[in-house]
Amino acid sequence: MNLQVRLWVILLWTVAAVELVSLSQGGRTLPPWWVLGGLVAIAALAERQSVAVTRNIETSVSFLPTVFTAVAFGPFAAAVVSAAASATDLRPPHGRWFVYTPARALTGAAAGWLALPFASHSDPAFGRILLASLAAAIANLVLDSAFNIVTLALRGSASPLAFVGNVGPLLAISLPLYVPLVALLVYGYEVYSIWVVATFLLPALALQRLIHLYQEQRDAVAGLAAVNHRLERANLSFAGALVATLDARDRYTAGHSAAVAVYSRDIARRMGLSEEDQGLVHLCGLVHDIGKIGLPPGLLEKTGALTLEERRHMEQHPEIGERILSKVEDYSDIARIVRHHHERVDGLGYPDSLKAEEIPLLSRIIAVADAYNAMTSDRPYRDAMPSRVARLRLAQAVESQFDTTVVAAFEAVLAGASEAYRSGQREDFSLEVKQATQVALRVATA
């Protein structure tokens, strides 16, 4: 709390104390203790269920019991109810307690003073009561807004224009909505009894509670979405770091994983899969070859064709990848998809010889993207195939090696794509891993 705020608090407490003493000695009386206690309790509950308008601004229906008390019982009772309701609110930040307790006392007293010219309990005319309620409401809203503006300005947490912009519309709605309701409550009290007031105020309090719960749920959902977004970024960062490690070892497949990830995501989108599945297959595409890290030294670096024994070792990389990924929390689905990306629909693939629908759909998608990019990329033992040849090879292998629906979806994607995309040379293919790796490094060094 800075010096300006401290001086402001001292001023508020001083003026509020003088006002309360003056009212108590000026012949002003309070309603019966149980009525006063009930109004304090309702106002306090309303204050605790306040609804956040912005990070620094809240609103509540404590306006109703405060203005009702000002009109029905005068400035002294309104000051006591407002101050007591605020004084019992000990939620953090505690600095606001020191500001709002005296400010609310002064606001309640001002509302009561402006209602006095219209007060005449011997004449319960609704028109008179409506005018008194309007005067008290205007005093309450204007003075409460003034106190808030000064406090926020001294704290430097919000400008007066920002406050008016955020709260102004609410205040404009409050007058036509709440003033007739307060007038009806006062009229019901004067003509019937105080129990009429409870009949109306308690449902209003329950309505605010529902709004408060809704806002808490909305904030929780927003917070969960933010957490999920951070987790997705962390997943991509981790995957990018793994792929960068693999690319550093195998220069011939550098960028291959990123291209497979992009192709897989675009196939999933073309097939109408959910955004969640599109994101998942993209992530799986990035790490689908991560098991190659665990292959014997020299195998990835070999420039010629592989021997039968070396090919058997190479075919173990999906299982090695699954073992690596399964040790990462929440990567069990990814590990399973990676394990099966070399299965064939005719059951002649590896490592488990699964057939057709037994193979996870996302694994079938990655299989097509993986094979296409391998064919259209240079290898130490052959040059890259033209896109049209690779696409023909995919079409020839449907219902034996590849899923027909997946190949058809990929052909539709490739048909409308640029040559850079078809050849895996588009700039974002290589940036995919670089950006994820940079994020991973920033997270690790933060």
Side-chain angles (χ1 to χ4, degrees), residues 61-119:
V61 293
S62 59
F63 170 92
L64 290 176
T66 298
V67 176
F68 167 81
T69 306
V71 177
F73 301 110
F76 190 22
V80 170
V81 167
S82 297
S86 183
T88 56
D89 186 4
L90 301 177
R91 295 171 298 165
H94 300 297
R96 70 178 181 178
W97 184 93
F98 293 99
V99 175
Y100 288 125
T101 298
R104 292 291 165 77
L106 292 172
T107 300
W113 280 117
L114 262 72
L116 277 180
F118 307 97

Short mmCIF file of all heavy atoms in Angstrom, two decimals, residues 61-119:
data_model
loop_
_atom_site.label_atom_id
_atom_site.label_comp_id
_atom_site.label_asym_id
_atom_site.label_seq_id
_atom_site.Cartn_x
_atom_site.Cartn_y
_atom_site.Cartn_z
N VAL A 61 -25.17 -7.58 -5.64
CA VAL A 61 -26.52 -7.07 -5.35
C VAL A 61 -26.62 -6.56 -3.92
O VAL A 61 -27.71 -6.39 -3.39
CB VAL A 61 -27.59 -8.16 -5.59
CG1 VAL A 61 -27.69 -8.50 -7.05
CG2 VAL A 61 -27.34 -9.39 -4.75
N SER A 62 -25.48 -6.31 -3.25
CA SER A 62 -25.53 -5.67 -1.93
C SER A 62 -26.15 -4.28 -2.06
O SER A 62 -26.56 -3.68 -1.05
CB SER A 62 -24.12 -5.56 -1.33
OG SER A 62 -23.28 -4.79 -2.17
N PHE A 63 -26.20 -3.77 -3.29
CA PHE A 63 -26.91 -2.52 -3.60
C PHE A 63 -28.35 -2.56 -3.07
O PHE A 63 -28.86 -1.58 -2.54
CB PHE A 63 -26.89 -2.33 -5.11
CG PHE A 63 -27.76 -1.23 -5.64
CD1 PHE A 63 -27.25 0.04 -5.82
CD2 PHE A 63 -29.09 -1.45 -5.98
CE1 PHE A 63 -28.03 1.05 -6.34
CE2 PHE A 63 -29.88 -0.44 -6.49
CZ PHE A 63 -29.35 0.82 -6.67
N LEU A 64 -29.02 -3.71 -3.20
CA LEU A 64 -30.44 -3.80 -2.82
C LEU A 64 -30.67 -3.60 -1.32
O LEU A 64 -31.45 -2.73 -0.93
CB LEU A 64 -31.01 -5.14 -3.28
CG LEU A 64 -31.18 -5.32 -4.79
CD1 LEU A 64 -31.68 -6.72 -5.12
CD2 LEU A 64 -32.16 -4.30 -5.34
N PRO A 65 -30.02 -4.41 -0.43
CA PRO A 65 -30.27 -4.18 1.00
C PRO A 65 -29.76 -2.82 1.46
O PRO A 65 -30.35 -2.22 2.39
CB PRO A 65 -29.51 -5.32 1.68
CG PRO A 65 -28.53 -5.82 0.67
CD PRO A 65 -29.17 -5.60 -0.65
N THR A 66 -28.70 -2.29 0.85
CA THR A 66 -28.18 -0.99 1.25
C THR A 66 -29.17 0.13 0.95
O THR A 66 -29.50 0.95 1.82
CB THR A 66 -26.85 -0.71 0.53
OG1 THR A 66 -25.89 -1.68 0.91
CG2 THR A 66 -26.31 0.67 0.90
N VAL A 67 -29.67 0.18 -0.28
CA VAL A 67 -30.60 1.24 -0.67
C VAL A 67 -31.95 1.05 0.03
O VAL A 67 -32.59 2.04 0.44
CB VAL A 67 -30.78 1.27 -2.20
CG1 VAL A 67 -31.82 2.30 -2.61
CG2 VAL A 67 -29.44 1.58 -2.87
N PHE A 68 -32.36 -0.21 0.21
CA PHE A 68 -33.60 -0.44 0.96
C PHE A 68 -33.48 0.14 2.38
O PHE A 68 -34.39 0.82 2.86
CB PHE A 68 -33.89 -1.95 1.05
CG PHE A 68 -34.96 -2.27 2.06
CD1 PHE A 68 -36.30 -2.14 1.74
CD2 PHE A 68 -34.63 -2.68 3.35
CE1 PHE A 68 -37.30 -2.41 2.69
CE2 PHE A 68 -35.60 -2.96 4.29
CZ PHE A 68 -36.94 -2.82 3.96
N THR A 69 -32.39 -0.13 3.05
CA THR A 69 -32.19 0.36 4.41
C THR A 69 -32.16 1.88 4.42
O THR A 69 -32.72 2.52 5.33
CB THR A 69 -30.86 -0.19 4.99
OG1 THR A 69 -30.86 -1.60 4.89
CG2 THR A 69 -30.70 0.21 6.44
N ALA A 70 -31.51 2.50 3.42
CA ALA A 70 -31.43 3.96 3.36
C ALA A 70 -32.83 4.57 3.25
O ALA A 70 -33.13 5.58 3.90
CB ALA A 70 -30.57 4.37 2.17
N VAL A 71 -33.69 3.97 2.42
CA VAL A 71 -35.03 4.52 2.21
C VAL A 71 -35.95 4.20 3.39
O VAL A 71 -36.72 5.05 3.86
CB VAL A 71 -35.64 3.99 0.90
CG1 VAL A 71 -37.07 4.49 0.72
CG2 VAL A 71 -34.78 4.40 -0.28
N ALA A 72 -35.87 2.98 3.90
CA ALA A 72 -36.81 2.54 4.93
C ALA A 72 -36.43 3.02 6.33
O ALA A 72 -37.30 3.32 7.15
CB ALA A 72 -36.90 1.02 4.93
N PHE A 73 -35.11 3.12 6.61
CA PHE A 73 -34.68 3.40 7.98
C PHE A 73 -33.76 4.60 8.13
O PHE A 73 -33.37 4.96 9.24
CB PHE A 73 -33.99 2.17 8.58
CG PHE A 73 -34.86 0.95 8.60
CD1 PHE A 73 -34.60 -0.13 7.77
CD2 PHE A 73 -35.96 0.88 9.45
CE1 PHE A 73 -35.40 -1.25 7.79
CE2 PHE A 73 -36.77 -0.24 9.47
CZ PHE A 73 -36.50 -1.32 8.64
N GLY A 74 -33.34 5.22 7.03
CA GLY A 74 -32.57 6.44 7.13
C GLY A 74 -31.07 6.26 7.04
O GLY A 74 -30.56 5.14 6.92
N PRO A 75 -30.32 7.38 7.12
CA PRO A 75 -28.87 7.35 6.88
C PRO A 75 -28.08 6.58 7.93
O PRO A 75 -27.08 5.93 7.58
CB PRO A 75 -28.49 8.83 6.88
CG PRO A 75 -29.59 9.53 7.60
CD PRO A 75 -30.82 8.75 7.31
N PHE A 76 -28.46 6.66 9.20
CA PHE A 76 -27.69 5.99 10.24
C PHE A 76 -27.73 4.47 10.04
O PHE A 76 -26.70 3.79 10.04
CB PHE A 76 -28.25 6.36 11.62
CG PHE A 76 -27.38 5.89 12.77
CD1 PHE A 76 -26.02 5.62 12.59
CD2 PHE A 76 -27.93 5.74 14.05
CE1 PHE A 76 -25.23 5.20 13.65
CE2 PHE A 76 -27.14 5.32 15.10
CZ PHE A 76 -25.79 5.05 14.90
N ALA A 77 -28.94 3.93 9.83
CA ALA A 77 -29.07 2.48 9.63
C ALA A 77 -28.36 2.04 8.35
O ALA A 77 -27.68 1.00 8.32
CB ALA A 77 -30.55 2.11 9.56
N ALA A 78 -28.47 2.84 7.28
CA ALA A 78 -27.82 2.48 6.03
C ALA A 78 -26.30 2.47 6.18
O ALA A 78 -25.61 1.60 5.64
CB ALA A 78 -28.23 3.45 4.93
N ALA A 79 -25.77 3.44 6.92
CA ALA A 79 -24.32 3.49 7.15
C ALA A 79 -23.86 2.28 7.94
O ALA A 79 -22.82 1.67 7.62
CB ALA A 79 -23.95 4.78 7.88
N VAL A 80 -24.62 1.90 8.98
CA VAL A 80 -24.25 0.75 9.81
C VAL A 80 -24.31 -0.54 9.00
O VAL A 80 -23.40 -1.38 9.05
CB VAL A 80 -25.17 0.67 11.04
CG1 VAL A 80 -24.96 -0.65 11.79
CG2 VAL A 80 -24.93 1.84 11.97
N VAL A 81 -25.39 -0.74 8.23
CA VAL A 81 -25.54 -1.96 7.44
C VAL A 81 -24.42 -2.07 6.41
O VAL A 81 -23.79 -3.12 6.25
CB VAL A 81 -26.92 -1.98 6.73
CG1 VAL A 81 -26.96 -3.08 5.67
CG2 VAL A 81 -28.02 -2.22 7.76
N SER A 82 -24.14 -0.97 5.70
CA SER A 82 -23.11 -1.00 4.66
C SER A 82 -21.73 -1.26 5.25
O SER A 82 -20.96 -2.08 4.74
CB SER A 82 -23.09 0.33 3.90
OG SER A 82 -24.32 0.54 3.24
N ALA A 83 -21.42 -0.56 6.36
CA ALA A 83 -20.11 -0.72 6.98
C ALA A 83 -19.94 -2.11 7.57
O ALA A 83 -18.89 -2.75 7.41
CB ALA A 83 -19.92 0.34 8.06
N ALA A 84 -20.99 -2.62 8.25
CA ALA A 84 -20.90 -3.94 8.88
C ALA A 84 -20.77 -5.05 7.84
O ALA A 84 -20.00 -6.00 8.02
CB ALA A 84 -22.12 -4.18 9.76
N ALA A 85 -21.52 -4.93 6.74
CA ALA A 85 -21.44 -5.94 5.68
C ALA A 85 -20.04 -5.98 5.08
O ALA A 85 -19.48 -7.06 4.84
CB ALA A 85 -22.47 -5.64 4.61
N SER A 86 -19.45 -4.80 4.85
CA SER A 86 -18.10 -4.76 4.28
C SER A 86 -17.05 -5.19 5.31
O SER A 86 -16.07 -5.85 4.96
CB SER A 86 -17.80 -3.34 3.79
OG SER A 86 -16.53 -3.28 3.18
N ALA A 87 -17.26 -4.84 6.58
CA ALA A 87 -16.28 -5.17 7.62
C ALA A 87 -16.16 -6.67 7.85
O ALA A 87 -15.11 -7.15 8.30
CB ALA A 87 -16.65 -4.47 8.92
N THR A 88 -17.23 -7.42 7.57
CA THR A 88 -17.18 -8.87 7.79
C THR A 88 -16.57 -9.62 6.60
O THR A 88 -16.41 -10.84 6.65
CB THR A 88 -18.60 -9.42 8.04
OG1 THR A 88 -19.45 -9.06 6.94
CG2 THR A 88 -19.18 -8.85 9.32
N ASP A 89 -16.25 -8.90 5.53
CA ASP A 89 -15.64 -9.52 4.35
C ASP A 89 -14.12 -9.46 4.49
O ASP A 89 -13.48 -8.46 4.18
CB ASP A 89 -16.09 -8.77 3.09
CG ASP A 89 -15.60 -9.47 1.81
OD1 ASP A 89 -15.00 -10.56 1.93
OD2 ASP A 89 -15.83 -8.92 0.72
N LEU A 90 -13.53 -10.55 4.98
CA LEU A 90 -12.10 -10.59 5.27
C LEU A 90 -11.31 -11.35 4.21
O LEU A 90 -10.19 -11.81 4.47
CB LEU A 90 -11.87 -11.22 6.65
CG LEU A 90 -12.55 -10.50 7.82
CD1 LEU A 90 -12.32 -11.26 9.12
CD2 LEU A 90 -12.04 -9.07 7.93
N ARG A 91 -11.88 -11.51 3.01
CA ARG A 91 -11.16 -12.20 1.95
C ARG A 91 -9.97 -11.37 1.49
O ARG A 91 -10.03 -10.14 1.50
CB ARG A 91 -12.09 -12.45 0.76
CG ARG A 91 -13.25 -13.38 1.02
CD ARG A 91 -14.20 -13.37 -0.17
NE ARG A 91 -14.77 -12.04 -0.39
CZ ARG A 91 -15.38 -11.68 -1.51
NH1 ARG A 91 -15.50 -12.53 -2.51
NH2 ARG A 91 -15.87 -10.45 -1.63
N PRO A 92 -8.89 -12.03 1.07
CA PRO A 92 -7.77 -11.28 0.49
C PRO A 92 -8.17 -10.71 -0.87
O PRO A 92 -9.07 -11.25 -1.52
CB PRO A 92 -6.67 -12.34 0.36
CG PRO A 92 -7.39 -13.65 0.31
CD PRO A 92 -8.62 -13.47 1.15
N PRO A 93 -7.54 -9.63 -1.30
CA PRO A 93 -6.49 -8.87 -0.61
C PRO A 93 -7.07 -8.04 0.53
O PRO A 93 -8.11 -7.39 0.36
CB PRO A 93 -5.91 -7.98 -1.70
CG PRO A 93 -7.05 -7.79 -2.66
CD PRO A 93 -7.81 -9.08 -2.65
N HIS A 94 -6.38 -8.06 1.67
CA HIS A 94 -6.94 -7.44 2.86
C HIS A 94 -6.90 -5.92 2.79
O HIS A 94 -7.59 -5.25 3.57
CB HIS A 94 -6.18 -7.93 4.09
CG HIS A 94 -6.25 -9.43 4.28
ND1 HIS A 94 -7.45 -10.08 4.51
CD2 HIS A 94 -5.30 -10.39 4.22
CE1 HIS A 94 -7.23 -11.38 4.62
NE2 HIS A 94 -5.93 -11.60 4.44
N GLY A 95 -6.10 -5.37 1.88
CA GLY A 95 -6.04 -3.91 1.75
C GLY A 95 -7.38 -3.31 1.39
O GLY A 95 -7.69 -2.19 1.80
N ARG A 96 -8.21 -4.06 0.66
CA ARG A 96 -9.49 -3.49 0.26
C ARG A 96 -10.44 -3.34 1.45
O ARG A 96 -11.34 -2.50 1.42
CB ARG A 96 -10.14 -4.35 -0.83
CG ARG A 96 -10.63 -5.70 -0.37
CD ARG A 96 -11.29 -6.44 -1.52
NE ARG A 96 -11.80 -7.73 -1.10
CZ ARG A 96 -12.46 -8.55 -1.90
NH1 ARG A 96 -12.66 -8.22 -3.16
NH2 ARG A 96 -12.90 -9.72 -1.47
N TRP A 97 -10.22 -4.14 2.51
CA TRP A 97 -11.05 -4.03 3.71
C TRP A 97 -10.92 -2.64 4.30
O TRP A 97 -11.90 -2.03 4.71
CB TRP A 97 -10.62 -5.10 4.73
CG TRP A 97 -11.45 -5.14 5.98
CD1 TRP A 97 -12.53 -5.93 6.20
CD2 TRP A 97 -11.25 -4.36 7.18
NE1 TRP A 97 -13.03 -5.69 7.47
CE2 TRP A 97 -12.26 -4.73 8.09
CE3 TRP A 97 -10.33 -3.40 7.56
CZ2 TRP A 97 -12.36 -4.18 9.35
CZ3 TRP A 97 -10.43 -2.83 8.82
CH2 TRP A 97 -11.44 -3.23 9.70
N PHE A 98 -9.67 -2.13 4.34
CA PHE A 98 -9.42 -0.81 4.94
C PHE A 98 -10.04 0.31 4.10
O PHE A 98 -10.38 1.36 4.63
CB PHE A 98 -7.91 -0.58 5.06
CG PHE A 98 -7.25 -1.48 6.06
CD1 PHE A 98 -6.58 -2.62 5.63
CD2 PHE A 98 -7.30 -1.20 7.41
CE1 PHE A 98 -5.98 -3.47 6.55
CE2 PHE A 98 -6.70 -2.05 8.33
CZ PHE A 98 -6.03 -3.17 7.89
N VAL A 99 -10.19 0.08 2.82
CA VAL A 99 -10.76 1.11 1.94
C VAL A 99 -12.28 1.03 1.91
O VAL A 99 -12.98 2.03 2.10
CB VAL A 99 -10.20 0.98 0.51
CG1 VAL A 99 -10.88 1.97 -0.43
CG2 VAL A 99 -8.70 1.21 0.50
N TYR A 100 -12.80 -0.17 1.67
CA TYR A 100 -14.22 -0.29 1.40
C TYR A 100 -15.10 -0.20 2.65
O TYR A 100 -16.26 0.21 2.54
CB TYR A 100 -14.50 -1.61 0.66
CG TYR A 100 -14.02 -1.58 -0.76
CD1 TYR A 100 -13.15 -2.54 -1.26
CD2 TYR A 100 -14.41 -0.56 -1.63
CE1 TYR A 100 -12.70 -2.49 -2.57
CE2 TYR A 100 -13.97 -0.50 -2.93
CZ TYR A 100 -13.10 -1.47 -3.40
OH TYR A 100 -12.65 -1.41 -4.69
N THR A 101 -14.58 -0.55 3.82
CA THR A 101 -15.42 -0.46 5.02
C THR A 101 -15.86 0.97 5.30
O THR A 101 -17.06 1.25 5.41
CB THR A 101 -14.69 -1.07 6.23
OG1 THR A 101 -14.44 -2.46 5.98
CG2 THR A 101 -15.54 -0.92 7.50
N PRO A 102 -14.93 1.95 5.41
CA PRO A 102 -15.40 3.33 5.61
C PRO A 102 -16.10 3.90 4.39
O PRO A 102 -17.05 4.69 4.51
CB PRO A 102 -14.10 4.10 5.90
CG PRO A 102 -13.01 3.29 5.27
CD PRO A 102 -13.46 1.87 5.41
N ALA A 103 -15.65 3.50 3.19
CA ALA A 103 -16.28 4.02 1.97
C ALA A 103 -17.74 3.59 1.89
O ALA A 103 -18.62 4.39 1.53
CB ALA A 103 -15.51 3.54 0.74
N ARG A 104 -18.01 2.34 2.24
CA ARG A 104 -19.39 1.85 2.20
C ARG A 104 -20.25 2.54 3.27
O ARG A 104 -21.44 2.78 3.07
CB ARG A 104 -19.42 0.34 2.38
CG ARG A 104 -18.80 -0.43 1.21
CD ARG A 104 -19.67 -0.31 -0.03
NE ARG A 104 -18.97 -0.70 -1.25
CZ ARG A 104 -18.72 -1.94 -1.63
NH1 ARG A 104 -19.07 -2.95 -0.86
NH2 ARG A 104 -18.10 -2.17 -2.77
N ALA A 105 -19.66 2.82 4.42
CA ALA A 105 -20.40 3.54 5.47
C ALA A 105 -20.83 4.91 4.96
O ALA A 105 -21.99 5.33 5.15
CB ALA A 105 -19.55 3.67 6.72
N LEU A 106 -19.90 5.62 4.32
CA LEU A 106 -20.23 6.95 3.80
C LEU A 106 -21.23 6.87 2.66
O LEU A 106 -22.12 7.73 2.53
CB LEU A 106 -18.94 7.64 3.33
CG LEU A 106 -17.95 8.01 4.44
CD1 LEU A 106 -16.63 8.49 3.85
CD2 LEU A 106 -18.55 9.08 5.34
N THR A 107 -21.12 5.85 1.83
CA THR A 107 -22.06 5.67 0.72
C THR A 107 -23.47 5.42 1.24
O THR A 107 -24.45 6.01 0.75
CB THR A 107 -21.61 4.49 -0.17
OG1 THR A 107 -20.31 4.76 -0.69
CG2 THR A 107 -22.58 4.28 -1.31
N GLY A 108 -23.59 4.53 2.25
CA GLY A 108 -24.90 4.26 2.83
C GLY A 108 -25.51 5.49 3.47
O GLY A 108 -26.71 5.77 3.31
N ALA A 109 -24.68 6.24 4.20
CA ALA A 109 -25.19 7.46 4.84
C ALA A 109 -25.67 8.46 3.80
O ALA A 109 -26.73 9.08 3.96
CB ALA A 109 -24.09 8.07 5.71
N ALA A 110 -24.90 8.64 2.73
CA ALA A 110 -25.29 9.59 1.67
C ALA A 110 -26.60 9.17 1.02
O ALA A 110 -27.46 10.02 0.73
CB ALA A 110 -24.17 9.67 0.63
N ALA A 111 -26.76 7.86 0.79
CA ALA A 111 -28.02 7.38 0.21
C ALA A 111 -29.19 7.68 1.14
O ALA A 111 -30.27 8.09 0.68
CB ALA A 111 -27.92 5.87 -0.05
N GLY A 112 -28.98 7.50 2.44
CA GLY A 112 -30.04 7.79 3.40
C GLY A 112 -30.38 9.27 3.47
O GLY A 112 -31.56 9.64 3.54
N TRP A 113 -29.35 10.12 3.41
CA TRP A 113 -29.59 11.56 3.45
C TRP A 113 -30.40 12.02 2.24
O TRP A 113 -31.32 12.84 2.38
CB TRP A 113 -28.25 12.32 3.49
CG TRP A 113 -27.60 12.38 4.84
CD1 TRP A 113 -26.40 11.86 5.21
CD2 TRP A 113 -28.13 13.00 6.01
NE1 TRP A 113 -26.14 12.10 6.53
CE2 TRP A 113 -27.18 12.81 7.06
CE3 TRP A 113 -29.32 13.70 6.31
CZ2 TRP A 113 -27.37 13.29 8.35
CZ3 TRP A 113 -29.51 14.18 7.60
CH2 TRP A 113 -28.55 13.97 8.61
N LEU A 114 -30.07 11.53 1.04
CA LEU A 114 -30.80 11.98 -0.14
C LEU A 114 -32.22 11.43 -0.20
O LEU A 114 -33.10 11.99 -0.86
CB LEU A 114 -30.05 11.57 -1.42
CG LEU A 114 -29.20 12.69 -2.02
CD1 LEU A 114 -27.97 12.94 -1.14
CD2 LEU A 114 -28.77 12.36 -3.43
N ALA A 115 -32.46 10.32 0.52
CA ALA A 115 -33.82 9.77 0.56
C ALA A 115 -34.71 10.50 1.56
O ALA A 115 -35.94 10.43 1.46
CB ALA A 115 -33.76 8.28 0.89
N LEU A 116 -34.10 11.18 2.54
CA LEU A 116 -34.86 11.81 3.63
C LEU A 116 -35.93 12.80 3.15
O LEU A 116 -37.04 12.81 3.70
CB LEU A 116 -33.90 12.53 4.60
CG LEU A 116 -33.25 11.65 5.66
CD1 LEU A 116 -32.34 12.49 6.54
CD2 LEU A 116 -34.31 10.97 6.52
N PRO A 117 -35.65 13.68 2.18
CA PRO A 117 -36.70 14.65 1.77
C PRO A 117 -37.99 14.00 1.29
O PRO A 117 -39.05 14.64 1.32
CB PRO A 117 -36.02 15.43 0.63
CG PRO A 117 -34.55 15.30 0.89
CD PRO A 117 -34.39 13.93 1.47
N PHE A 118 -37.90 12.74 0.87
CA PHE A 118 -39.09 12.05 0.37
C PHE A 118 -39.69 11.11 1.41
O PHE A 118 -40.68 10.44 1.14
CB PHE A 118 -38.73 11.25 -0.89
CG PHE A 118 -38.06 12.06 -1.95
CD1 PHE A 118 -36.67 12.06 -2.05
CD2 PHE A 118 -38.79 12.85 -2.81
CE1 PHE A 118 -36.03 12.80 -3.03
CE2 PHE A 118 -38.16 13.60 -3.79
CZ PHE A 118 -36.77 13.58 -3.90
N ALA A 119 -39.03 11.04 2.59
CA ALA A 119 -39.46 10.06 3.60
C ALA A 119 -40.67 10.59 4.36
O ALA A 119 -40.69 11.72 4.82
CB ALA A 119 -38.32 9.79 4.57
#
